[in-house]
Amino acid sequence: MYTMQPKVGVIMGSKSDWPTMEHAVQMLEQLGVTYETRVVSAHRTPDLLVEYAKTAVDRGLQVIIAGAGGAAHLPGMVAAQTTLPVLGVPVESKALSGMDSLLSIVQMPGGIPVATLAIGKAGATNAGILAAQILGLQDAEIRQALERFRAEQTQKVLDNPDPRD
């Protein structure tokens, strides 16, 4: 974790969500975005959830990435407590392969938006990129890091055009 004031909060409902959510953190680190990360359970620590969300702006956060599995109430409950953009990452569950998580996050009522990403690693990775894109609207260094990242992705494809290699 960075020592500078974090711009992104990366939270998850359980420590078992870390293997998914670490991909968001890896993208934030790659793009030079400061962050904080912690477990905040909608069901086991509801008072902590409310405190975390309500103090996020005062603590300097600008975006919150919230990952949750199963009933997956964390992203929506956080979004209900803050005006910051909330990016929801459905964590893959054993019972329904993450479809339960996806539907729990994506079906928010009108007026309380959560930007919902793909299930699992891809969603967490994209949440990190999307958070950087949001911050990049006002931060030229982050925007340049995103441009370099995109150029590197393009070059990897151009350098390996033959799928048999």
Side-chain angles (χ1 to χ4, degrees):
M1 187 160 59
Y2 290 92
T3 55
M4 295 174 51
Q5 182 172 4
K7 293 181 180 180
V8 176
V10 180
I11 60 176
M12 60 217 75
S14 171
K15 191 172 182 173
S16 65
D17 297 336
W18 178 247
T20 297
M21 298 307 293
E22 70 180 323
H23 298 286
V25 166
Q26 289 168 357
M27 283 308 309
L28 294 171
E29 288 177 351
Q30 182 176 342
L31 297 168
V33 176
T34 57
Y35 66 90
E36 64 183 26
T37 186
R38 68 185 300 178
V39 173
V40 179
S41 172
H43 302 117
R44 292 179 294 275
T45 60
D47 293 337
L48 175 61
L49 179 151
V50 171
E51 178 197 352
Y52 185 89
K54 286 191 174 198
T55 63
V57 171
D58 291 338
R59 290 183 291 108
L61 295 183
Q62 296 178 34
V63 179
I64 297 174
I65 300 172
H73 290 126
L74 180 63
M77 291 303 297
V78 168
Q81 301 291 328
T82 185
T83 57
L84 292 177
V86 176
L87 312 181
V89 177
V91 174
E92 189 172 348
S93 59
K94 291 178 184 159
L96 298 171
S97 301
M99 285 302 295
D100 49 346
S101 310
L102 173 66
L103 295 174
S104 292
I105 297 171
V106 79
Q107 290 297 330
M108 289 299 297
I112 309 293
V114 172
T116 308
L117 287 297
I119 297 167
K121 177 182 175 180
T125 299
N126 283 341
I129 295 168
L130 185 56
Q133 289 174 318
I134 292 167
L135 296 171
L137 293 170
Q138 301 297 322
D139 188 316
E141 285 184 37
I142 294 173
R143 189 170 51 253
Q144 290 168 356
L146 284 160
E147 290 168 1
R148 283 190 302 274
F149 171 75
R150 288 283 178 92
E152 289 167 7
Q153 282 189 311
T154 299
Q155 196 59 51
K156 284 180 187 175
V157 172
L158 294 175
D159 290 345
N160 299 290
D162 190 336
R164 298 170 293 174
D165 292 342

